[in-house]
């Protein structure tokens, strides 16, 4: 309000020195001139009144009088409205709390001229329900849906509620609408218009001076006409005497007003800062408010309270802890993300392992992962230990608290480093398998389903930790290995039995052949000796010794040749038998070597 | 006769009585709107509803900020959403304009934060609005909160969300979390 006044102050140069009678100022035509006519009308009306009474000149005269009275009434009403506009009863401040049931659900004020909808018994102010239905015009009168329950309803002429409700709401105490200007009156709501119109010292009325048409506050009316120019002694601003009081109370920047709370006089221009910040009587919350102290104390006594209040004492510490907790929370978020990455890594391990399962060539490649049939407990312990160490390290990383001294430094950095350090062994183990042994066994076919012990990861269910997951996989691999070895042993046995049977049959055949050959050899021997005897008989008898000699020796040589051939065949048979035996041994060795490879 | 001083006096009276009742320089309806909003604010402060809050944004009583927390057992559980409410001059005979300031993935909210909700539309001849003068800030926010858990998939603004809601709640929740921003982040973005 300390800004430039709505009129130009330069016009008032001449009157700055002090009081100047208002008659000295120039006339101007304004809307107040309209309001100034009624007194004349009134005077002429009373004259007409007297004239009418005395003469009684018939209906026309009476009619004219009635019209004049009406005009008079309307104009005086218009003037009083101009001075004191009708009070908007919804804008009033209620002194005491009122029952919520007395409140109109639309304007949230105590009912004003309440009406009840016959269709559903809901109650509203007449104006409120009219305005609600303003958009749905009907020639049969206001109608629409009830705002509370949407029942179609209408406003009949007999919708008014009982007098009791009207009386209760009209008897509620309100502050005078001029309370901002200084009126301290508290009146019943039903009487507030009368208060302003008739009694309120801060309502306007016509100036008592006969020749003055301006209005003054009712309380100043007795002081005569105050409509002359003055200038404020404090700020040198020009105004009328009638408005000086208001100027001093609200506007004048160089005038002191007394603070209602601390009883101190404060300059108007400093009032904003005083009421907001510096007033010692304004109650401020305890510094420990956020931690639970609900006490408020006056600014001047805030220190006293802070000394005795546990919350206020703990506030610095609690604030620091709060800050630390926030940091921890941020760090934990980082850890959660890390954990997700780790779990992703384990998933990768799992997929790698199950693909290796389908290609057994690679299973053998990573010797350290797959224990041999004998168990090799030390190696399993080693890998388990490594995993244990990893998990422990991760845990430590997630839950480590920074030392109190380093509270300012975010601990997430520390955690990050630790988590990063624990990552490499995890990734390197499955990703980069160790060097392959030189003597890789060739892939062998399997007559049983090897993928079955590794159900898909999703069906495996959640494991307590990745370590458990790996261990369980390890376990099932070992089972698989023992099944495999049992199967191989069975196969081996069957194969050696088959070889044995085959050998027996071959040996029998060989011995049978050997017997035949021996029979043959005996026959040949008998034939040879029989031939020799015959030759000796014939040669001796007929002296053909010269011719027979050579032929006899020929036959003897042939017999010896047959004998030699038969013995060669026999030795060949023996050799065959040896070979069969040797073959059996070879099969056995092969079986053993295959078993050995499988075991590898 | 009336003179310049008279005009001046009435001007100064109008000036100093800016807050007094029935001041002709301000529309009377506006005063009633503010009075009603003050009454609503008082009710919200004295009996707060869990998961809802509302307060005037600044000195202008007809612009409010509000927060709504997603109901538990919905994809919006534990998420807090910021909204703005703007009250028209003929409030409560017309509904406030409500906008989501926090980005939200919901069948009945579009990318600009506009909400498709029957009680936020003025009813009357032919229109489908269900606004009623007895509704208030608290009941509007409550309706919006329940809309989070029970979207109206028959008339979606975000058709994809409506389809996903019926098909895959897990994926839906993922989308909700991806779209959501903490109120502090939204504020930071506003400042920047
Ligand atoms: Zn009402
Ligand atoms: Zn009803
Ligand atoms: Zn009064
Ligand atoms: Zn006067
Ligand atoms: Zn002054
Ligand atoms: Zn003070
Ligand atoms: Zn305290």
């Amino acid at each position: 309000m300390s800004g430039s006044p709505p009129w130009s102050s330069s016009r008032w140069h001449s009157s700055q020195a002090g009081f100047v009678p208002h008659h000295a100022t120039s006339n101007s035509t304004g809307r107040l001139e309209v309001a100034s006519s009624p007194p004349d009308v009134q005077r002429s009306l009373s004259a007409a009144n007297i004239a009418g009474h005395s003469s009684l000149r018939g209906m026309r005269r009476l009619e004219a009088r009635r019209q004049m009275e009406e005009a008079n009434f309307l104009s005086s009403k218009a003037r009083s409205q101009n001075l004191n506009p009708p009070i908007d009863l919804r804008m009033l401040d209620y002194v005491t709390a009122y029952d919520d049931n007395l409140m109109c659900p639309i304007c949230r004020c105590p009912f004003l001229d309440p009406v009840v909808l016959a269709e559903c018994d809901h109650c509203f102010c007449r104006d409120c329900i009219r305005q609600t239905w303003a958009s749905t015009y009907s020639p049969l009168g206001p109608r629409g849906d009830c705002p509370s329950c949407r029942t179609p309803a209408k406003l009949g002429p007999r919708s008014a509620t009982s007098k009791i409700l009207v009386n209760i709401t009209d008897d509620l105490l309100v502050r005078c609408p001029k309370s901002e200007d200084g009126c301290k009156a508290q009146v019943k709501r039903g009487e507030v218009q009368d208060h302003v119109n008739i009694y309120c010292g801060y309502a306007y009325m016509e100036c008592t001076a006969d020749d003055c048409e301006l209005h003054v506050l009712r309380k100043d009316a007795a002081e005569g006409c105050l409509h002359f120019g003055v200038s404020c002694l404090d700020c040198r601003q020009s105004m009328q005497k009638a408005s000086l009081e208001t100027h001093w109370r609200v506007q004048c920047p160089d005038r002191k007003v007394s603070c209602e709370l601390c009883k101190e006089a404060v300059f108007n221009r400093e009032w904003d800062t005083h009421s907001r910040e510096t007033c010692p009587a304004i109650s401020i919350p305890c510094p420990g408010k956020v931690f639970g102290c609900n006490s408020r104390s006056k600014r001047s006594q805030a220190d006293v309270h802070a000394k005795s209040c546990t919350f206020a004492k703990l506030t610095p510490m609690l604030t620091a802890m709060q800050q630390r907790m926030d940091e921890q929370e941020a760090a934990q978020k980082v850890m959660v993300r890390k954990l997700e990455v780790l779990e992703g890594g384990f998933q990768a391990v799992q997929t790698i392992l199950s693909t290796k399962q389908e290609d057994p060539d690679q299973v053998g490649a990573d010797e350290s992962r797959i224990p041999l049939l004998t168990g090799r407990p030390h190696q399993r312990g080693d890998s388990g230990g490594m995993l244990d160490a990893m998990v422990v390290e991760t845990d430590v990383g997630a839950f480590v608290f920074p030392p109190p001294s380093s509270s300012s430094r975010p601990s997430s950095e520390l955690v990050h480093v630790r988590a990063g350090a624990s990552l490499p062994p995890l990734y390197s183990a499955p990703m980069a398998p160790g060097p392959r042994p030189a003597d890789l066994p060739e892939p062998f076919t399997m007559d049983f389903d090897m993928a079955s012990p590794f159900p898909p990861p999703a069906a495996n269910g959640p494991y307590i930790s990745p370590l458990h997951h790996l261990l369980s996989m390890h376990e099932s691999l070992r089972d698989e290995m023992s099944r495999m070895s049992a199967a191989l042993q069975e196969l081996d046995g069957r194969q050696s039995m088959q070889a044995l049977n085959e050998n027996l049959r071959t040996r029998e055949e060989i011995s049978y052949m050997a017997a035949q050959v021996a029979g043959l050899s005996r026959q040949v021997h008998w034939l040879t000796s029989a031939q020799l005897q015959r030759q000796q008989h014939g040669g001796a008898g007929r002296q053909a010794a010269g011719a027979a000699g050579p032929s006899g020796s020929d036959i003897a040589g042939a017999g010896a040749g047959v004998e030699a051939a038969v013995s060669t065949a026999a030795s060949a048979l023996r050799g065959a038998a040896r070979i069969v035996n040797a073959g059996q041994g070879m099969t056995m060795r092969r079986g053993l070597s295959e078993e050995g490879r499988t075991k590898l | 006769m009336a003179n310049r001083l008279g005009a001046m006096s009435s001007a100064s009276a109008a000036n100093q009585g800016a807050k007094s009742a029935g001041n002709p320089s301000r529309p009377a309806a506006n005063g009633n709107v503010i009075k009603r909003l003050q009454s609503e604010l008082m009710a919200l402060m004295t009996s707060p509803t869990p998961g809802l809050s509302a307060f005037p944004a600044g000195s202008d009583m007809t612009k409010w900020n509000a927060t709504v927390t997603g109901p538990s057992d919905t994809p919006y559980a534990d998420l807090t959403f910021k909204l703005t409410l703007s009250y028209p001059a003929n409030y409560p005979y017309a509904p406030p304009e409500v906008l989501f300031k926090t980005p939200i993935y919901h069948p009945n909210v579009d990318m600009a934060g506009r909400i498709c909700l029957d009680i936020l539309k003025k009813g009357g001849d032919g229109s489908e609005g269900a606004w009623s003068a007895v509704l208030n800030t608290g009941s509007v926010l409550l309706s919006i909160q329940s809309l989070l858990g029970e979207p109206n998939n028959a008339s979606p603004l975000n058709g994809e969300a409506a389809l996903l809601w019926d098909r895959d709640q897990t994926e839906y929740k993922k989308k909700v979390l991806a779209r959501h921003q903490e109120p502090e982040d939204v504020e930071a973005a506003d400042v920047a």
Side-chain angles (χ1 to χ4, degrees), chain A residues 22 207-209 212-216 224-227:
Chain A
H22 74 281
C207 182
T208 44
C212 179
E213 304 295 344
L214 297 172
H215 45 246
V216 291
C225 184
L226 298 171
H227 297 107

Side-chain angles (χ1 to χ4, degrees), chain A residues 506-560:
Chain A
T506 317
R507 231 184 290 184
E508 267 168 31
E509 255 171 5
I510 286 169
S511 51
Y512 171 73
M513 274 166 77
Q516 294 253 319
V517 167
L520 267 173
S521 129
R522 269 196 305 276
Q523 274 179 349
V524 166
H525 189 75
W526 181 79
L527 277 174
T528 313
S529 56
Q531 191 66 33
L532 279 174
Q533 266 183 337
R534 232 180 306 155
Q535 274 184 345
Q536 275 170 359
H537 275 282
R542 280 177 253 154
Q543 333 92 7
S551 85
S553 67
D554 269 357
I555 289 166

Side-chain angles (χ1 to χ4, degrees), chain A residues 260-555:
Chain A
E260 278 179 34
L261 295 166
C262 64
K263 310 289 178 227
E264 220 172 275
V266 189
F267 279 116
N268 244 330
R269 59 166 180 266
E270 289 164 357
W271 175 246
D272 275 355
T273 9
H274 177 85
S275 60
R276 258 204 319 270
E277 289 158 27
T278 50
C279 179
I282 282 182
S283 65
I284 52 167
C286 170
K289 182 176 186 291
V290 277
F291 299 107
C293 179
N294 289 323
S295 140
R296 292 175 73 93
S297 48
K298 292 184 174 168
R299 199 181 294 275
S300 52
Q301 283 149 29
D303 284 348
V304 181
H305 170 81
K307 267 179 198 136
S308 66
C309 176
T310 327
F311 289 107
K313 271 187 221 157
L314 286 176
T315 297
M317 216 160 77
L318 288 170
T319 318
M321 271 170 73
Q322 187 75 43
Q323 193 191 343
R324 282 250 294 287
M325 261 159 69
D326 290 348
E327 282 168 11
Q328 294 303 329
E329 220 161 87
Q332 189 140 354
K333 267 186 189 168
V334 173
M335 283 317 301
V336 166
R337 248 169 250 160
K338 290 270 176 246
L339 194 66
E340 271 165 21
V341 169
L342 288 182
E343 264 164 15
F346 275 111
Q347 296 264 339
V349 171
Q350 202 174 1
T351 40
I352 285 164
L353 281 177
S354 49
T355 48
K356 273 182 181 174
Q357 196 60 47
E358 278 142 35
D359 182 8
D361 188 22
Q362 290 203 323
V363 176
D366 200 348
E367 225 177 26
S368 63
R369 295 273 124 191
I370 314 297
L372 292 175
L373 266 178
T374 49
R376 294 179 71 174
H378 67 279
Q379 199 164 9
R380 209 170 73 230
D382 275 354
S383 64
M386 184 188 80
L387 283 172
D388 269 339
M390 261 165 56
V391 170
V392 166
E393 198 171 3
T394 314
D395 285 350
V396 166
F399 301 112
V400 73
F401 283 83
S405 60
S406 69
S407 65
S408 60
R409 188 181 120 212
S411 56
S412 60
E413 196 182 39
L414 181 72
V415 172
H416 186 90
V417 169
R418 272 171 179 273
S422 71
L423 273 174
L426 178 73
Y427 277 119
S428 62
M431 294 296 201
R436 286 163 152 234
D439 55 341
L440 266 181
E442 57 260 49
F444 52 88
T445 53
M446 286 166 292
D447 55 349
F448 51 88
D449 184 17
M450 216 158 163
S452 61
F454 289 100
N460 250 344
Y463 286 95
I464 303 162
S465 77
L467 174 63
H468 282 80
H469 186 192
L470 265 190
L471 281 178
S472 75
M473 278 172 52
H474 179 103
E475 235 16 76
S476 62
L477 261 178
R478 215 137 58 92
D479 289 353
E480 206 43 53
M481 290 317 273
S482 51
R483 268 175 60 194
M484 255 170 72
S485 76
L488 277 171
Q489 267 171 356
E490 193 200 48
L491 215 105
D492 191 33
R494 230 187 293 157
Q495 202 177 14
S496 48
M497 273 304 283
Q498 209 179 347
L500 204 68
N501 290 347
E502 200 71 22
N503 271 353
L504 274 175
R505 208 157 45 84
T506 317
R507 231 184 290 184
E508 267 168 31
E509 255 171 5
I510 286 169
S511 51
Y512 171 73
M513 274 166 77
Q516 294 253 319
V517 167
L520 267 173
S521 129
R522 269 196 305 276
Q523 274 179 349
V524 166
H525 189 75
W526 181 79
L527 277 174
T528 313
S529 56
Q531 191 66 33
L532 279 174
Q533 266 183 337
R534 232 180 306 155
Q535 274 184 345
Q536 275 170 359
H537 275 282
R542 280 177 253 154
Q543 333 92 7
S551 85
S553 67
D554 269 357
I555 289 166

Side-chain angles (χ1 to χ4, degrees), chain A residues 114-118 120-124 154-155 158-161 165:
Chain A
V115 292
V116 159
L117 300 181
C120 64
D121 259 5
H122 279 122
C123 188
F124 306 97
K154 63 177 189 296
L155 208 56
R158 295 191 297 146
S159 291
T161 53
L165 180 58

